[in-house]
Amino acid sequence: MDRYIYTTMTGALHTLTAQRIHANNLANVGTTGFRRDFERAESYQVQGGGFETRFLSQTQATGTDFTPGRVETTGRELDVGIRGRGFIAVLDANGEEAYTRAGNLAIDNEGRLLSQGREVNGIGGPLVIPDFQAISIGQNGTVSVNPPGGGMLEVGQFKLVNPD
């Protein structure tokens, strides 16, 4: 005997999952570099005699919308925007590599380049910026400074990660 409660329960479970994803999207609408997630569900027919009209739903892996957002010009030398689907590699609290799209960078008292308090990971390790008069960040993530004595010094390059 088919129990309608199980059919109803699967639909309700997936509706709750969708609400959680939408709530997260709304909570992060003002977060720099945030990309919205979307839910996916698929229905499938219950197998067996007499069940031809019965369908259940099954949640699929959530996806992320990588549609480019608007780039805002801030005038800060340390603000960067990422074109396409890439991420900036940073170090989390455990020293493990994590990824962000937040491009509002800062430099701490020790000269470490940070994104939202996390060290930006360069190709050769975390980027440490020496004293400078001016700083520039190239389109490929290369960080260069004009030191107090003059000239131009290349400090390193962001480790950019593409999810493809």
Side-chain angles (χ1 to χ4, degrees), residues 23-104:
N24 183 57
N25 289 341
L26 286 171
N28 286 290
V29 74
T31 302
T32 303
F34 179 77
R35 293 291 187 238
R36 77 178 179 93
D37 291 329
F38 55 92
E39 77 287 349
R40 296 186 303 177
E42 181 179 338
S43 65
Y44 62 95
Q45 187 175 15
V46 175
Q47 299 299 312
F51 293 124
E52 294 83 26
T53 60
R54 304 283 191 258
F55 286 83
L56 296 175
S57 61
Q58 182 176 18
T59 301
Q60 303 296 312
T62 59
T64 302
D65 182 3
F66 286 100
T67 303
R70 136 185 127 234
V71 176
E72 297 178 20
T73 302
T74 64
R76 285 189 68 232
E77 295 174 310
L78 293 174
D79 284 351
V80 297
I82 300 170
R83 291 189 180 132
R85 296 172 47 110
F87 292 87
I88 298 172
V90 295
L91 298 177
D92 67 11
N94 298 325
E96 299 292 322
E97 192 167 86
Y99 307 103
T100 184
R101 290 186 60 86
N104 51 338

